[in-house]
Amino acid sequence: MEQVLGQQAGGVAIAAPVRAASAALAAGLDRGPESTVSSDLIRQLRVLEDMKSAISSLQAKIAVAFDLAQRQEQARNGIPASARGKGVAAQVALARRESPNKGSRLLGLAKALVTEMPHTMAALESGQLNEWRATLLVKETACLSVEDRAAVDAELAPDTGTFDGAGDKAITAAVKAAAYRRDARSVTERAAHAASERYVSLRPAPDTMTYLTALLPVAQGVAVFAALTRAAGTARSDGDTRSKGQVMADTLVERITGTAAGYSGIDLQLVMTDRTLLAGDSEPARLNGYGIVPAGWARELVAAETSGRDQEYYVWLRRLYTAPGTGELLATDSRARFFPPGIRRFIETRDNTCRTPYCDAPIKHLDHIIPITSTATARIPASQTPQKIP
């Protein structure tokens, strides 16, 4: 496997073993007895899994080599040391078809594995760890010095099979314990700092549902869950027919928004065609912050008939004009330094997410692709503006 992967970094060398495995699979299914076919299939799964790990290790090495090459090239071009390496993570992200944020994490993972954690890197190369479990080791030692991280890597020695059969939680626990033994103060300070990283996020889920996630300090998180559990227990004891989970979810929505419906007085920005809204057309709609939703569901939301309980609230309609050929929403360029509120709203409604390839994060920055450092105004095409700030 190492010989095959070492031939070149291009897709031909990597794809050849996969094609060979596919051919062997087809041949085995055509000719072999059932017992042989089954053993061959499971063996091929293991081989392919090992290949995935080996390819991940090769990607890490290439990413680090690319970062070094870029820094050397930038140095020759006279770029200050403090600015060297800028944009490398974004290029890694594009090459791996990931968002800029994920690209930054992948580059950080690669640097840690290649330069600081040789045992973990060797385990990844040999297939004893996959990329995610190698990430867990890197993540849990991030607060340590280079020397202590290397010591933990040597102590655990993942390349000797110490984590064979271990799940994610077992690996995380072992690394945390080893890190604490090396530098208890840094681990404790990291835990104290973690409270400053609390946040709330929203991710789409199937069937017009969504995941509302809160990262909270443990005491607050336990208190919130206990309060919702208590509310559910009280409602159920009073004869409420909803399940415990349903009561907890409904209670959370009502306490946060102040209404049982959860969206009264809040601008949801539901985008649909006039045919979908007024003529019963099946063209799906789009809910900002979520994505595509069924036409019927969108009409029910506008009619306030969700969950079988009618709700009274105001519905505002805004006309958006589309290009006849493509159906894309149209907009007007702005010569101002910042977009006025109306155009900002329009761009957010039209584009919905960041315009960077492979990034589907919400729009955070609309005014400029290139940072403006002078007082001069800039004319930036609106179709190119939405970006997410890392």
Side-chain angles (χ1 to χ4, degrees):
M1 184 187 305
E2 292 181 356
Q3 182 179 3
V4 173
L5 294 176
Q7 290 175 1
Q8 63 179 32
V12 176
I14 301 296
V18 178
R19 288 197 298 268
S22 299
L25 169 62
L29 291 176
D30 288 341
R31 304 194 294 272
E34 291 185 6
S35 59
T36 303
V37 170
S38 295
S39 61
D40 284 346
L41 291 176
I42 203 67
R43 186 163 50 249
Q44 287 181 47
L45 280 177
R46 171 55 65 87
V47 170
L48 291 171
E49 189 64 27
D50 289 346
M51 287 175 57
K52 285 166 58 180
S53 296
I55 291 170
S56 295
S57 71
L58 180 58
Q59 286 180 312
K61 292 178 180 179
I62 292 173
V64 172
F66 175 71
D67 178 65
L68 178 61
Q70 286 283 284
R71 290 175 182 274
Q72 291 174 342
E73 181 180 336
Q74 290 167 354
R76 289 193 299 270
N77 293 334
I79 296 177
S82 59
R84 294 172 196 167
K86 186 176 181 180
V88 171
Q91 294 184 73
V92 170
L94 286 172
R96 294 196 59 173
R97 298 188 175 97
E98 297 286 1
S99 69
N101 184 270
K102 181 67 177 294
S104 180
R105 296 201 303 270
L106 289 171
L107 181 58
L109 170 67
K111 289 181 177 179
L113 290 174
V114 173
T115 63
E116 300 174 9
M117 304 182 72
H119 292 279
T120 302
M121 184 63 172
L124 182 63
E125 286 180 317
S126 64
Q128 293 172 294
L129 290 176
N130 58 26
E131 188 177 40
W132 171 243
R133 288 176 177 167
T135 302
L136 293 177
L137 273 83
V138 171
K139 178 182 177 182
E140 296 302 331
T141 57
C143 62
L144 302 179
S145 65
V146 174
E147 294 76 15
D148 285 336
R149 171 180 261 179
V152 170
D153 181 59
E155 175 187 339
L156 299 177
D159 56 332
T160 63
T162 52
F163 291 130
D164 284 350
D168 294 352
K169 291 183 178 179
I171 292 175
T172 300
V175 182
K176 282 184 174 179
Y180 189 81
R181 288 193 296 269
R182 287 287 167 183
D183 190 351
R185 179 178 179 180
S186 293
V187 175
T188 303
E189 289 177 350
R190 175 182 175 180
H193 174 72
S196 67
E197 298 179 340
R198 59 193 181 275
Y199 69 91
V200 177
S201 64
L202 188 71
R203 293 181 294 117
D207 304 322
T208 64
M209 301 292 283
T210 190
Y211 297 104
L212 176 65
T213 304
L215 180 64
L216 301 172
V218 63
Q220 295 178 4
V222 170
V224 170
F225 191 80
L228 294 175
T229 302
R230 185 166 55 249
T234 301
R236 296 274 291 169
S237 64
D238 290 341
D240 197 313
T241 59
R242 291 173 292 169
S243 68
K244 176 183 175 181
Q246 289 173 337
V247 176
M248 292 175 69
D250 294 345
T251 302
L252 174 65
V253 170
E254 186 169 359
R255 291 185 179 181
I256 294 297
T257 65
T259 66
Y263 41 75
S264 179
I266 297 176
D267 189 353
L268 291 179
Q269 295 189 4
L270 178 65
V271 182
M272 70 177 82
T273 67
D274 54 351
R275 300 179 303 279
T276 295
L277 176 63
L278 304 174
D281 193 82
S282 59
E283 177 72 19
R286 189 184 79 229
L287 184 64
N288 272 11
Y290 177 82
I292 300 300
V293 295
W297 183 91
R299 284 191 292 270
E300 288 181 2
L301 179 62
V302 174
E305 296 176 357
T306 55
S307 303
R309 297 189 300 274
D310 291 347
Q311 306 292 339
E312 293 184 0
Y313 59 95
Y314 291 106
V315 175
W316 291 85
L317 299 180
R318 296 184 180 93
R319 291 180 296 182
L320 305 176
Y321 297 93
T322 60
T326 64
E328 294 182 357
L329 294 177
L330 302 177
T332 303
D333 290 348
S334 173
R335 295 180 181 273
R337 176 75 176 267
F338 297 102
F339 287 117
I343 295 182
R344 289 180 64 90
R345 175 189 292 274
F346 187 89
I347 293 174
E348 290 172 341
T349 302
R350 181 195 65 186
D351 290 330
N352 193 36
T353 59
C354 175
R355 296 296 89 190
T356 303
Y358 311 114
C359 182
D360 53 8
I363 298 171
K364 293 289 183 64
H365 181 218
L366 291 94
D367 296 305
H368 298 283
I369 291 178
I370 301 172
I372 301 298
T373 57
S374 67
T375 58
T377 59
R379 184 176 183 272
I380 305 297
S383 60
Q384 301 176 6
T385 51
Q387 293 187 37
K388 176 181 69 64
I389 297 178

mmCIF file of all heavy atoms in Angstrom, residues 138-161:
data_model
loop_
_atom_site.group_PDB
_atom_site.id
_atom_site.type_symbol
_atom_site.label_atom_id
_atom_site.label_comp_id
_atom_site.label_asym_id
_atom_site.label_seq_id
_atom_site.Cartn_x
_atom_site.Cartn_y
_atom_site.Cartn_z
ATOM 1 N N VAL A 138 -5.242 14.764 18.785
ATOM 2 C CA VAL A 138 -4.703 16.107 18.573
ATOM 3 C C VAL A 138 -5.501 17.131 19.376
ATOM 4 O O VAL A 138 -4.938 18.027 20.022
ATOM 5 C CB VAL A 138 -4.718 16.456 17.070
ATOM 6 C CG1 VAL A 138 -4.365 17.921 16.845
ATOM 7 C CG2 VAL A 138 -3.751 15.555 16.312
ATOM 8 N N LYS A 139 -6.808 17.003 19.336
ATOM 9 C CA LYS A 139 -7.678 17.965 20.015
ATOM 10 C C LYS A 139 -7.439 17.978 21.521
ATOM 11 O O LYS A 139 -7.358 19.042 22.139
ATOM 12 C CB LYS A 139 -9.141 17.625 19.716
ATOM 13 C CG LYS A 139 -10.156 18.518 20.392
ATOM 14 C CD LYS A 139 -11.572 18.076 20.063
ATOM 15 C CE LYS A 139 -12.611 18.919 20.788
ATOM 16 N NZ LYS A 139 -13.993 18.448 20.508
ATOM 17 N N GLU A 140 -7.334 16.803 22.136
ATOM 18 C CA GLU A 140 -7.212 16.731 23.592
ATOM 19 C C GLU A 140 -5.816 17.075 24.096
ATOM 20 O O GLU A 140 -5.606 17.199 25.292
ATOM 21 C CB GLU A 140 -7.603 15.325 24.076
ATOM 22 C CG GLU A 140 -9.056 14.966 23.814
ATOM 23 C CD GLU A 140 -10.030 15.944 24.458
ATOM 24 O OE1 GLU A 140 -9.674 16.543 25.500
ATOM 25 O OE2 GLU A 140 -11.141 16.115 23.919
ATOM 26 N N THR A 141 -4.847 17.215 23.207
ATOM 27 C CA THR A 141 -3.499 17.630 23.620
ATOM 28 C C THR A 141 -3.171 19.040 23.145
ATOM 29 O O THR A 141 -2.027 19.481 23.259
ATOM 30 C CB THR A 141 -2.443 16.653 23.059
ATOM 31 O OG1 THR A 141 -2.562 16.585 21.627
ATOM 32 C CG2 THR A 141 -2.624 15.257 23.646
ATOM 33 N N ALA A 142 -4.164 19.743 22.616
ATOM 34 C CA ALA A 142 -3.916 21.072 22.033
ATOM 35 C C ALA A 142 -3.450 22.085 23.071
ATOM 36 O O ALA A 142 -2.751 23.040 22.733
ATOM 37 C CB ALA A 142 -5.181 21.573 21.338
ATOM 38 N N CYS A 143 -3.817 21.895 24.351
ATOM 39 C CA CYS A 143 -3.445 22.869 25.384
ATOM 40 C C CYS A 143 -2.030 22.650 25.907
ATOM 41 O O CYS A 143 -1.524 23.463 26.685
ATOM 42 C CB CYS A 143 -4.438 22.798 26.537
ATOM 43 S SG CYS A 143 -4.488 21.188 27.367
ATOM 44 N N LEU A 144 -1.367 21.569 25.499
ATOM 45 C CA LEU A 144 -0.044 21.238 26.008
ATOM 46 C C LEU A 144 1.051 21.917 25.190
ATOM 47 O O LEU A 144 0.846 22.306 24.043
ATOM 48 C CB LEU A 144 0.163 19.723 25.987
ATOM 49 C CG LEU A 144 -0.830 18.866 26.776
ATOM 50 C CD1 LEU A 144 -0.490 17.396 26.619
ATOM 51 C CD2 LEU A 144 -0.854 19.263 28.246
ATOM 52 N N SER A 145 2.219 22.005 25.779
ATOM 53 C CA SER A 145 3.377 22.473 25.037
ATOM 54 C C SER A 145 3.780 21.411 24.022
ATOM 55 O O SER A 145 3.324 20.258 24.084
ATOM 56 C CB SER A 145 4.545 22.741 25.996
ATOM 57 O OG SER A 145 4.964 21.517 26.592
ATOM 58 N N VAL A 146 4.654 21.785 23.089
ATOM 59 C CA VAL A 146 5.103 20.825 22.077
ATOM 60 C C VAL A 146 5.769 19.628 22.741
ATOM 61 O O VAL A 146 5.543 18.470 22.357
ATOM 62 C CB VAL A 146 6.075 21.518 21.092
ATOM 63 C CG1 VAL A 146 6.666 20.492 20.133
ATOM 64 C CG2 VAL A 146 5.358 22.614 20.320
ATOM 65 N N GLU A 147 6.578 19.883 23.773
ATOM 66 C CA GLU A 147 7.282 18.803 24.454
ATOM 67 C C GLU A 147 6.314 17.867 25.164
ATOM 68 O O GLU A 147 6.444 16.636 25.091
ATOM 69 C CB GLU A 147 8.284 19.378 25.464
ATOM 70 C CG GLU A 147 9.443 20.147 24.845
ATOM 71 C CD GLU A 147 9.034 21.538 24.367
ATOM 72 O OE1 GLU A 147 7.938 22.018 24.756
ATOM 73 O OE2 GLU A 147 9.816 22.143 23.599
ATOM 74 N N ASP A 148 5.332 18.445 25.890
ATOM 75 C CA ASP A 148 4.367 17.610 26.613
ATOM 76 C C ASP A 148 3.467 16.844 25.656
ATOM 77 O O ASP A 148 3.100 15.692 25.916
ATOM 78 C CB ASP A 148 3.525 18.474 27.554
ATOM 79 C CG ASP A 148 4.304 18.905 28.793
ATOM 80 O OD1 ASP A 148 5.280 18.209 29.142
ATOM 81 O OD2 ASP A 148 3.940 19.930 29.392
ATOM 82 N N ARG A 149 3.101 17.479 24.548
ATOM 83 C CA ARG A 149 2.268 16.772 23.562
ATOM 84 C C ARG A 149 3.029 15.571 23.006
ATOM 85 O O ARG A 149 2.472 14.483 22.862
ATOM 86 C CB ARG A 149 1.859 17.725 22.447
ATOM 87 C CG ARG A 149 1.178 17.043 21.285
ATOM 88 C CD ARG A 149 0.786 18.031 20.200
ATOM 89 N NE ARG A 149 -0.613 18.395 20.289
ATOM 90 C CZ ARG A 149 -1.218 19.253 19.479
ATOM 91 N NH1 ARG A 149 -0.514 19.867 18.529
ATOM 92 N NH2 ARG A 149 -2.500 19.520 19.599
ATOM 93 N N ALA A 150 4.297 15.761 22.698
ATOM 94 C CA ALA A 150 5.107 14.657 22.181
ATOM 95 C C ALA A 150 5.252 13.560 23.232
ATOM 96 O O ALA A 150 5.255 12.362 22.900
ATOM 97 C CB ALA A 150 6.477 15.171 21.754
ATOM 98 N N ALA A 151 5.354 13.960 24.505
ATOM 99 C CA ALA A 151 5.473 12.971 25.576
ATOM 100 C C ALA A 151 4.195 12.147 25.709
ATOM 101 O O ALA A 151 4.249 10.933 25.917
ATOM 102 C CB ALA A 151 5.804 13.676 26.893
ATOM 103 N N VAL A 152 3.047 12.794 25.621
ATOM 104 C CA VAL A 152 1.770 12.061 25.669
ATOM 105 C C VAL A 152 1.662 11.129 24.471
ATOM 106 O O VAL A 152 1.222 9.981 24.599
ATOM 107 C CB VAL A 152 0.585 13.056 25.699
ATOM 108 C CG1 VAL A 152 -0.738 12.321 25.493
ATOM 109 C CG2 VAL A 152 0.563 13.822 27.010
ATOM 110 N N ASP A 153 2.074 11.599 23.316
ATOM 111 C CA ASP A 153 2.048 10.765 22.111
ATOM 112 C C ASP A 153 2.897 9.519 22.305
ATOM 113 O O ASP A 153 2.502 8.415 21.937
ATOM 114 C CB ASP A 153 2.553 11.587 20.924
ATOM 115 C CG ASP A 153 2.539 10.816 19.617
ATOM 116 O OD1 ASP A 153 1.449 10.360 19.213
ATOM 117 O OD2 ASP A 153 3.613 10.672 19.000
ATOM 118 N N ALA A 154 4.103 9.697 22.909
ATOM 119 C CA ALA A 154 4.988 8.553 23.142
ATOM 120 C C ALA A 154 4.430 7.637 24.227
ATOM 121 O O ALA A 154 4.550 6.406 24.138
ATOM 122 C CB ALA A 154 6.379 9.050 23.528
ATOM 123 N N GLU A 155 3.806 8.226 25.273
ATOM 124 C CA GLU A 155 3.248 7.423 26.360
ATOM 125 C C GLU A 155 2.118 6.513 25.872
ATOM 126 O O GLU A 155 2.054 5.325 26.218
ATOM 127 C CB GLU A 155 2.735 8.339 27.474
ATOM 128 C CG GLU A 155 2.030 7.608 28.611
ATOM 129 C CD GLU A 155 1.399 8.556 29.616
ATOM 130 O OE1 GLU A 155 1.825 9.731 29.679
ATOM 131 O OE2 GLU A 155 0.474 8.123 30.331
ATOM 132 N N LEU A 156 1.246 7.077 25.073
ATOM 133 C CA LEU A 156 0.110 6.294 24.584
ATOM 134 C C LEU A 156 0.504 5.384 23.424
ATOM 135 O O LEU A 156 -0.110 4.335 23.217
ATOM 136 C CB LEU A 156 -1.025 7.225 24.164
ATOM 137 C CG LEU A 156 -1.594 8.110 25.283
ATOM 138 C CD1 LEU A 156 -2.667 9.037 24.726
ATOM 139 C CD2 LEU A 156 -2.176 7.259 26.402
ATOM 140 N N ALA A 157 1.484 5.783 22.646
ATOM 141 C CA ALA A 157 2.008 4.989 21.523
ATOM 142 C C ALA A 157 0.897 4.335 20.713
ATOM 143 O O ALA A 157 0.793 3.112 20.662
ATOM 144 C CB ALA A 157 2.988 3.945 22.034
ATOM 145 N N PRO A 158 0.063 5.125 20.057
ATOM 146 C CA PRO A 158 -1.051 4.536 19.290
ATOM 147 C C PRO A 158 -0.589 3.565 18.210
ATOM 148 O O PRO A 158 -1.335 2.648 17.847
ATOM 149 C CB PRO A 158 -1.724 5.761 18.663
ATOM 150 C CG PRO A 158 -1.348 6.903 19.546
ATOM 151 C CD PRO A 158 0.051 6.599 20.004
ATOM 152 N N ASP A 159 0.641 3.733 17.717
ATOM 153 C CA ASP A 159 1.106 2.855 16.635
ATOM 154 C C ASP A 159 1.439 1.442 17.112
ATOM 155 O O ASP A 159 1.700 0.562 16.300
ATOM 156 C CB ASP A 159 2.323 3.470 15.936
ATOM 157 C CG ASP A 159 3.455 3.777 16.903
ATOM 158 O OD1 ASP A 159 3.174 4.029 18.095
ATOM 159 O OD2 ASP A 159 4.624 3.756 16.474
ATOM 160 N N THR A 160 1.438 1.214 18.435
ATOM 161 C CA THR A 160 1.679 -0.133 18.950
ATOM 162 C C THR A 160 0.387 -0.906 19.178
ATOM 163 O O THR A 160 0.414 -2.033 19.664
ATOM 164 C CB THR A 160 2.455 -0.069 20.278
ATOM 165 O OG1 THR A 160 1.651 0.614 21.259
ATOM 166 C CG2 THR A 160 3.770 0.679 20.095
ATOM 167 N N GLY A 161 -0.732 -0.284 18.839
ATOM 168 C CA GLY A 161 -2.016 -0.971 18.989
ATOM 169 C C GLY A 161 -2.675 -0.759 20.327
ATOM 170 O O GLY A 161 -3.584 -1.509 20.696
#
